[in-house]
Amino acid sequence: MGKNLTKRSDDYSKWYNELVIKADLAENSGVRGCMVIKPYGFAIWEKMQAGLDRMFKETGHENAYFPLFIPKSYLSKEASHVEGFAKECAVVTHYRLKNAEDGSGIVVDPEARLEEELIVRPTSETIIWDTYRKWIQSYRDLPLLINQWANVVRWEMRTRLFLRTAEFLWQEGHTAHETENEAIKEAEKIMHLYAEFVEEHMAVPVIKGIKTESERFAGAIETYCIEALMQDGKALQAGTSHFLGQNFAKAFDVKFATRDGKQEHVWATSWGVSTRLMGALVMTHSDDNGLVLPPKLAPIQVVIVPIYKGIEQLEAISEKVDPLVKELRNKGISVKFDNRDTHKPGFKFNEYELKGVPVRLAIGQRDMENGTYEVARRDTLEKETVPMDEVISKIEFLLEDIQKNIYQKALEFRTAHITKVDSYDEFKTVLEEKGGFVLAHWDGTLETEDRIKEETKATIRCIPIDAEAEVGNCMVTGKPSSKRVLFAKAY
Amino acid sequence: MGKNLTKRSDDYSKWYNELVIKADLAENSGVRGCMVIKPYGFAIWEKMQAGLDRMFKETGHENAYFPLFIPKSYLSKEASHVEGFAKECAVVTHYRLKNAEDGSGIVVDPEARLEEELIVRPTSETIIWDTYRKWIQSYRDLPLLINQWANVVRWEMRTRLFLRTAEFLWQEGHTAHETENEAIKEAEKIMHLYAEFVEEHMAVPVIKGIKTESERFAGAIETYCIEALMQDGKALQAGTSHFLGQNFAKAFDVKFATRDGKQEHVWATSWGVSTRLMGALVMTHSDDNGLVLPPKLAPIQVVIVPIYKGIEQLEAISEKVDPLVKELRNKGISVKFDNRDTHKPGFKFNEYELKGVPVRLAIGQRDMENGTYEVARRDTLEKETVPMDEVISKIEFLLEDIQKNIYQKALEFRTAHITKVDSYDEFKTVLEEKGGFVLAHWDGTLETEDRIKEETKATIRCIPIDAEAEVGNCMVTGKPSSKRVLFAKAY
Ligand SMILES: [Zn+2]
Ligand SMILES: [Zn+2]
């Protein structure tokens, strides 16, 4: 197809990296581990943001903004939190540069050293709970349901575009509640909200569950998650929602007057999804020809390519196309008429296939004579000839059908790649030869979990919330187990 | 009114600080110079963002995202730029913390020192032009019209909520063009776009002009700006748009193949507005009772307060109000029915006055009997009794009328506070006794500009683009001048 894209079957990882760059989603920057999100990639992210933001607001959340910097001492206040986040962060130590005395450029001014170092936020629990202390006095101030869209920094040694970058964009929700039960309900509600967004907008099926203790967020009592399966058989955690108990309220001394006049610590949750979702989107649907985008997130839903010789033919085609473009836009459909004279139709076909535009119309001389368009759908690459007066309803049908079809395809792939195993040997064989999720019995100990991870690189992705009770024995130790948990190698 | 707000006439600066905090717009955080933008304030900022973003997109711009960090060496590449920005920036020198050996907490790990320090972006020209080198090869890649919504950091010593903070939110446009003329046209277009936004959405009148050399952006050939006037007679720069010439293209070696096959450096612009606009909004319209918000930016446009005794009266009122709320929402009007039982009507009236809700409806027993609402408008504080079947058209009228009225009021204030003077003595008297903008002749030299600034604290806000040619003499040196320039003390 002239795209020079590595095939998935040859090297999945290389295919992914090439695709992200060639489809103009993102690229590496001059700053180690930090990416540039290009306009086409950012337009997809904006649609994700808009969808999520609407869902957050419909469930009573408000947006706010908290500082980028966190005083070093704040991080230490919650013991397990600092263990989880202190290791990989960007530290601001000075607030001024000056000209080097030898004229060699600019240097850090040693006199401008901060009394206390500032950490570039890896997540904002500490600075936010320091603020909530001032906002919460009484049960009347609760619940406090706040979300923030922000950039965060975690100093990762090995980075990959979208999947793992030193700086990434995300949203982080931080809520405060009167009771333990209400906070748990909130954390669960957000898990379901994330699942709904990822399945309905991104067309990516997910499994909802809770994390084991070793995979929990640093500072959480319980971590809820949604897990997706990529085409290479590896899992990807698409979102997490944490019940934090009273840990942060205690660390930052946030108490409230209860309905019966007592002073109690507040109950908390936090939750987030990030630009990592872009990686999940690319890896779930795309093929050897390029991106496949769900219509709900595609920046361009329909592209129209004219096939013509000379300005007169183009003008005649434009007279047909212009009203169609207008009508589609009135219906809220994002459409591009690519009448650039600098590129051939074949080049354009390739480009829009690479960029995952869901529906492509072409119109040439024969179409003009017959009153038709050639209509191609990106997911199956099928083409058909459609009479002009039926083209709008065809497009509306296709946009819905592609959204459903790629979800269905991903769901079938996942269903085919969830394997129940009853022995550790079988477990290893499935991981090695088939990949995907593996459902197996586990004795519930950290020791066994660690051993499995060390020996197979597979981790417990979650204990699915809809796991059926099933008496069994741990595949490694033979100890009793009451339900299967979900293993996989993961991103 | 029970708001305990300092009066503007007593202490304008104190009034502003109190109002920003009491109206729940923003507050200081535990990090020196960094603010927390509270949900109510952030909701206003989101409406500003949405309005601007739509205008950027309608004029062909796309959003993207570039790294938070800038390698120190990048800053040095454009000589005047580094002079302007190196002095006040947050410097990341390390990428890890560790537990202190004496168990006293966490400390910076001296072994995790960066080879090259990273600067938290004070503005992104350098990292973006380093990227554009890869994106631009030919005239076919131009124009490149990109905007970014981001946080930036400038280490200010004296900070004030919204007006001057170490971290602030903004948008920064960065465009690349084939010709000098096209880049100048872009910079001018954005100045007009900003003026349109600030006048039509924020209801704040502005004067468009160009900056003198000493007030120009570091690295610019020409800086266009819009200047607003606050109620205390001080000016506030509301937005700037820079024609950068080929300075950054040369510094970062960004060349393109021209239409006739030559290699030339690209022409650039950059432009931005920030959360500082929130300060302008507050200071232009608000009064001693609190915020006055333009309906186009008000998070709550209409609030309805029930006045009742007992649950039965409230239920009867709700039966009347619920369908009204629904109908207003269908019309896209943001409405809140405040039926909280925990607060008295008088408290609520005060609260919504303080928060600048444009239209307030109250409904009590007499209204129920008469089939009326009491309707109050925030800008003039006028109240009237309106029959229920006329209340929607009344609200629609008021939302438009308040938007116009507060603009008109601000315009009249500004008109009354632009004074033409012909002598330096008169200039000083006006600045001291009346304040506002002063139009005077100036000889065009940096020396005179500096002297005026030193002696009066007034700066040249701009050379207005619609300044009439008028032969005159510099008020300080008597040297010839061809038009008046706009002076003021400024934020
Ligand atoms: Zn398979
Ligand atoms: Zn006055």
Side-chain angles (χ1 to χ4, degrees):
Chain A
M1 304 295 288
K3 301 186 193 75
N4 295 315
L5 193 60
T6 295
K7 281 189 190 337
R8 286 165 295 172
S9 54
D10 286 348
D11 188 337
Y12 189 81
S13 174
K14 200 173 167 204
W15 165 82
Y16 173 78
N17 292 337
E18 284 181 7
L19 180 53
V20 168
I21 289 168
K22 289 188 186 221
D24 281 338
L25 299 182
E27 65 184 33
N28 290 302
S29 76
V31 185
R32 209 197 59 76
C34 293
M35 66 180 158
V36 172
I37 306 179
K38 300 180 79 172
Y40 192 66
F42 200 82
I44 300 171
W45 175 242
E46 276 184 326
K47 290 205 163 199
M48 289 194 191
Q49 281 191 294
L52 282 164
D53 200 67
R54 199 178 318 114
M55 292 171 81
F56 296 150
K57 284 176 177 154
E58 280 167 4
T59 48
H61 301 85
E62 297 180 295
N63 288 330
Y65 188 76
F66 296 87
L68 171 67
F69 298 127
I70 296 177
K72 194 186 67 178
S73 58
Y74 284 32
L75 267 192
S76 317
K77 291 195 179 179
E78 211 290 320
S80 51
H81 190 68
V82 66
E83 283 303 314
F85 286 101
K87 282 148 204 156
E88 42 177 41
C89 51
V91 186
V92 177
T93 55
H94 291 75
Y95 58 84
R96 199 190 303 134
L97 298 171
K98 62 170 191 175
N99 292 312
E101 279 166 24
D102 62 3
S104 63
I106 50 172
V107 293
V108 176
D109 184 344
E111 286 175 22
R113 192 180 170 85
L114 290 169
E115 273 183 54
E116 178 178 7
E117 294 89 352
L118 296 172
I119 313 305
V120 180
R121 62 182 163 217
T123 180
S124 302
E125 278 76 8
T126 56
I127 186 88
I128 286 178
W129 279 88
D130 185 64
T131 307
Y132 281 1
R133 187 177 53 250
K134 289 172 263 175
W135 294 4
I136 299 169
Q137 266 88 45
S138 144
Y139 71 90
R140 286 183 204 87
D141 303 319
L142 298 172
L144 191 56
L145 306 173
I146 289 185
N147 175 60
Q148 151 168 290
W149 291 96
N151 52 346
V152 286
V153 172
R154 298 178 187 176
W155 209 264
E156 305 284 353
M157 280 303 148
R158 288 187 184 181
T159 62
R160 288 189 70 190
L161 291 168
F162 290 125
L163 297 172
R164 194 175 291 275
T165 48
E167 182 192 15
F168 56 90
L169 303 184
W170 79 345
Q171 60 69 216
E172 47 182 322
H174 296 273
T175 70
H177 305 265
E178 237 182 300
T179 66
E180 175 173 24
N181 188 47
E182 192 186 297
I184 291 172
K185 286 274 167 297
E186 165 80 5
E188 289 174 348
K189 179 197 280 181
I190 296 296
M191 172 186 65
H192 293 298
L193 184 157
Y194 283 158
E196 186 186 326
F197 172 78
V198 173
E199 298 197 329
E200 293 184 9
H201 292 244
M202 295 173 59
V204 173
V206 294
I207 292 174
K208 304 172 199 172
I210 60 171
K211 288 287 184 193
T212 60
E213 193 180 342
S214 72
E215 300 277 333
R216 238 175 244 155
F217 176 76
I221 308 288
E222 194 85 277
T223 289
Y224 301 85
C225 64
I226 54 172
E227 297 284 327
L229 189 64
M230 304 296 101
Q231 292 178 63
D232 63 346
K234 283 172 79 176
L236 186 144
Q237 176 181 294
T240 50
S241 177
H242 316 290
F243 167 57
L244 302 172
Q246 296 171 308
N247 291 350
F248 286 92
K250 284 178 181 165
F252 288 90
D253 195 27
V254 186
K255 289 182 186 165
F256 72 105
T258 65
R259 283 164 203 268
D260 48 5
K262 288 182 203 149
Q263 286 286 312
E264 273 182 23
H265 284 109
V266 175
W267 298 86
T269 82
S270 70
W271 29 276
V273 297
S274 72
T275 36
R276 197 160 206 246
L277 287 180
M278 292 286 295
L281 185 74
V282 171
M283 288 202 293
T284 300
H285 304 301
S286 303
D287 63 24
D288 293 345
N289 295 313
L291 286 183
V292 174
L293 292 177
K296 285 190 187 177
L297 297 179
I300 304 167
Q301 295 174 307
V302 179
V303 66
I304 305 173
V305 178
I307 300 165
Y308 63 96
K309 286 204 184 96
I311 187 77
E312 272 177 34
Q313 285 190 5
L314 178 59
E315 275 171 10
I317 289 173
S318 297
E319 267 172 47
K320 290 283 178 200
V321 170
D322 290 344
L324 173 63
V325 167
K326 211 168 158 183
E327 210 170 331
L328 289 171
R329 286 203 181 130
N330 283 342
K331 286 173 175 288
I333 295 170
S334 151
V335 54
K336 177 174 175 176
F337 176 34
D338 186 352
N339 57 5
R340 285 179 299 169
D341 201 28
T342 42
H343 298 81
K344 296 244 157 78
F347 177 94
K348 294 177 185 176
F349 287 6
N350 263 339
E351 182 176 346
Y352 297 113
E353 229 166 79
L354 182 61
K355 291 197 162 184
V357 175
V359 176
R360 182 192 76 212
L361 269 56
I363 177 166
Q365 283 322 104
R366 184 162 306 166
D367 294 302
M368 288 292 284
E369 283 155 24
N370 298 341
T372 58
Y373 283 100
E374 185 199 75
V375 179
R377 57 188 288 170
R378 175 62 186 87
D379 56 342
T380 62
L381 298 173
E382 288 163 343
K383 289 182 218 173
E384 59 183 305
T385 301
V386 176
M388 284 187 180
D389 61 354
E390 291 171 23
V391 78
I392 289 184
S393 60
K394 185 73 190 178
I395 288 169
E396 289 180 311
F397 166 78
L398 284 177
L399 292 178
E400 279 193 34
D401 198 58
I402 294 170
Q403 185 83 28
K404 279 186 219 152
N405 180 53
I406 64 175
Y407 176 78
Q408 203 51 41
K409 203 176 150 195
L411 185 62
E412 280 162 20
F413 177 84
R414 190 193 73 187
T415 306
H417 288 84
I418 302 185
T419 313
K420 280 194 189 181
V421 306
D422 290 310
S423 78
Y424 195 29
D425 278 346
E426 205 186 338
F427 180 83
K428 291 178 192 164
T429 307
V430 169
L431 276 182
E432 211 157 300
E433 292 176 8
K434 181 180 173 191
F437 288 124
V438 187
L439 280 167
H441 282 286
W442 162 63
D443 64 13
T445 68
L446 177 60
E447 195 187 347
T448 305
E449 194 182 1
D450 276 349
R451 180 178 157 193
I452 295 169
K453 188 174 176 179
E454 216 161 281
E455 293 177 352
T456 69
K457 291 189 178 135
T459 50
I460 301 177
R461 302 315 306 152
C462 67
I463 305 163
I465 55 165
D466 57 0
E468 287 162 34
E470 182 195 307
V471 174
N473 298 93
C474 175
M475 63 174 172
V476 178
T477 63
K479 289 182 192 159
S481 148
S482 62
K483 57 185 159 190
R484 291 174 186 269
V485 300
L486 193 72
F487 289 89
K489 293 186 189 172
Y491 280 93
Chain B
M1 302 296 288
K3 302 186 190 72
N4 295 318
L5 193 60
T6 295
K7 280 189 191 336
R8 286 165 294 172
S9 55
D10 286 347
D11 187 338
Y12 189 82
S13 173
K14 200 171 168 206
W15 164 82
Y16 173 79
N17 292 337
E18 283 181 10
L19 179 53
V20 167
I21 289 169
K22 289 186 185 220
D24 280 338
L25 301 181
E27 64 183 34
N28 290 302
S29 76
V31 186
R32 211 195 58 76
C34 294
M35 65 180 159
V36 173
I37 306 178
K38 300 180 78 172
Y40 192 66
F42 201 81
I44 300 171
W45 175 242
E46 276 184 326
K47 291 207 161 197
M48 289 193 192
Q49 281 191 293
L52 282 164
D53 199 68
R54 198 179 320 116
M55 291 171 82
F56 296 151
K57 284 176 178 156
E58 280 167 4
T59 47
H61 301 86
E62 297 180 296
N63 288 331
Y65 189 76
F66 297 87
L68 172 66
F69 299 127
I70 297 176
K72 193 185 67 178
S73 59
Y74 284 30
L75 266 194
S76 317
K77 291 196 180 179
E78 211 289 322
S80 52
H81 191 69
V82 65
E83 284 302 315
F85 286 101
K87 283 147 202 154
E88 41 177 40
C89 52
V91 187
V92 176
T93 55
H94 292 76
Y95 57 86
R96 199 189 305 133
L97 297 171
K98 62 171 193 174
N99 291 315
E101 279 165 25
D102 62 1
S104 63
I106 50 173
V107 293
V108 176
D109 184 346
E111 285 174 23
R113 193 182 169 85
L114 291 169
E115 272 183 55
E116 178 179 7
E117 294 88 352
L118 296 172
I119 312 306
V120 179
R121 62 181 163 218
T123 181
S124 301
E125 278 77 8
T126 56
I127 187 88
I128 287 178
W129 279 87
D130 186 64
T131 307
Y132 281 1
R133 188 177 53 251
K134 289 172 262 176
W135 293 3
I136 299 169
Q137 267 86 46
S138 142
Y139 71 91
R140 285 183 205 87
D141 303 319
L142 298 173
L144 191 56
L145 304 173
I146 289 185
N147 176 61
Q148 151 168 289
W149 290 96
N151 53 346
V152 286
V153 172
R154 298 178 187 175
W155 209 265
E156 305 283 355
M157 280 302 147
R158 286 188 185 180
T159 61
R160 287 188 70 190
L161 291 168
F162 290 124
L163 297 173
R164 192 177 293 275
T165 48
E167 182 192 15
F168 57 90
L169 303 183
W170 80 346
Q171 60 68 218
E172 46 181 324
H174 296 272
T175 69
H177 305 267
E178 236 181 301
T179 65
E180 176 174 21
N181 188 47
E182 192 185 297
I184 291 173
K185 286 274 169 296
E186 166 80 5
E188 289 174 347
K189 180 198 279 180
I190 297 294
M191 171 186 64
H192 293 299
L193 184 157
Y194 283 158
E196 188 186 327
F197 173 78
V198 173
E199 296 196 330
E200 291 183 10
H201 292 244
M202 295 172 60
V204 174
V206 293
I207 292 173
K208 304 172 197 171
I210 60 171
K211 288 288 186 193
T212 60
E213 193 180 342
S214 71
E215 298 278 332
R216 241 176 241 154
F217 177 76
I221 308 288
E222 194 85 277
T223 288
Y224 301 85
C225 65
I226 54 172
E227 298 283 328
L229 188 64
M230 304 296 101
Q231 291 179 64
D232 63 346
K234 284 173 79 177
L236 186 145
Q237 175 180 295
T240 51
S241 177
H242 316 290
F243 167 58
L244 303 172
Q246 296 171 308
N247 290 351
F248 286 92
K250 285 178 181 165
F252 288 90
D253 197 27
V254 186
K255 288 182 187 165
F256 72 105
T258 65
R259 283 164 203 268
D260 48 6
K262 290 183 200 145
Q263 287 285 313
E264 273 180 24
H265 284 107
V266 175
W267 298 87
T269 81
S270 71
W271 29 275
V273 297
S274 73
T275 35
R276 198 162 206 247
L277 287 180
M278 292 286 293
L281 186 74
V282 171
M283 287 202 293
T284 300
H285 304 302
S286 303
D287 62 27
D288 293 345
N289 294 313
L291 285 183
V292 174
L293 292 176
K296 286 191 186 175
L297 297 179
I300 304 166
Q301 295 174 306
V302 179
V303 66
I304 305 173
V305 177
I307 300 165
Y308 62 95
K309 285 205 185 94
I311 189 77
E312 273 178 33
Q313 285 190 5
L314 178 60
E315 274 171 9
I317 289 174
S318 298
E319 267 173 46
K320 289 285 177 197
V321 169
D322 290 344
L324 174 63
V325 167
K326 210 168 160 183
E327 209 170 330
L328 289 172
R329 286 203 181 129
N330 283 342
K331 287 173 174 287
I333 294 170
S334 153
V335 54
K336 176 172 175 178
F337 177 34
D338 185 351
N339 57 5
R340 285 178 299 169
D341 201 28
T342 44
H343 297 80
K344 295 244 158 79
F347 177 94
K348 294 177 185 175
F349 287 7
N350 263 339
E351 183 176 345
Y352 297 113
E353 229 165 79
L354 182 60
K355 290 198 163 182
V357 175
V359 176
R360 182 191 77 213
L361 269 57
I363 177 167
Q365 281 323 102
R366 185 162 306 166
D367 294 303
M368 289 293 283
E369 283 156 26
N370 299 341
T372 58
Y373 283 99
E374 185 199 73
V375 179
R377 58 189 286 172
R378 176 62 185 89
D379 56 342
T380 61
L381 299 172
E382 287 164 343
K383 290 181 214 173
E384 59 184 304
T385 301
V386 176
M388 285 186 177
D389 62 355
E390 291 172 24
V391 78
I392 288 184
S393 58
K394 185 73 191 179
I395 289 169
E396 290 181 311
F397 166 77
L398 283 178
L399 292 177
E400 279 192 34
D401 198 58
I402 294 170
Q403 186 82 28
K404 279 186 218 153
N405 180 54
I406 64 174
Y407 176 79
Q408 203 52 39
K409 203 177 150 194
L411 184 62
E412 279 163 20
F413 176 83
R414 190 192 72 186
T415 306
H417 289 84
I418 302 186
T419 314
K420 280 193 190 181
V421 305
D422 290 309
S423 77
Y424 195 31
D425 277 346
E426 205 186 339
F427 180 84
K428 290 178 192 165
T429 307
V430 169
L431 276 181
E432 210 156 301
E433 293 176 7
K434 181 181 174 189
F437 288 125
V438 186
L439 281 167
H441 282 287
W442 162 62
D443 64 14
T445 69
L446 177 60
E447 196 187 347
T448 304
E449 194 182 2
D450 275 351
R451 179 177 156 193
I452 295 168
K453 187 175 176 178
E454 216 161 282
E455 293 176 353
T456 69
K457 290 187 180 137
T459 50
I460 300 177
R461 301 317 304 153
C462 68
I463 305 162
I465 55 165
D466 57 1
E468 286 162 35
E470 182 194 306
V471 174
N473 299 94
C474 174
M475 63 174 172
V476 178
T477 63
K479 288 182 193 162
S481 148
S482 63
K483 57 186 158 188
R484 290 173 187 270
V485 300
L486 193 72
F487 289 89
K489 291 185 189 171
Y491 278 95

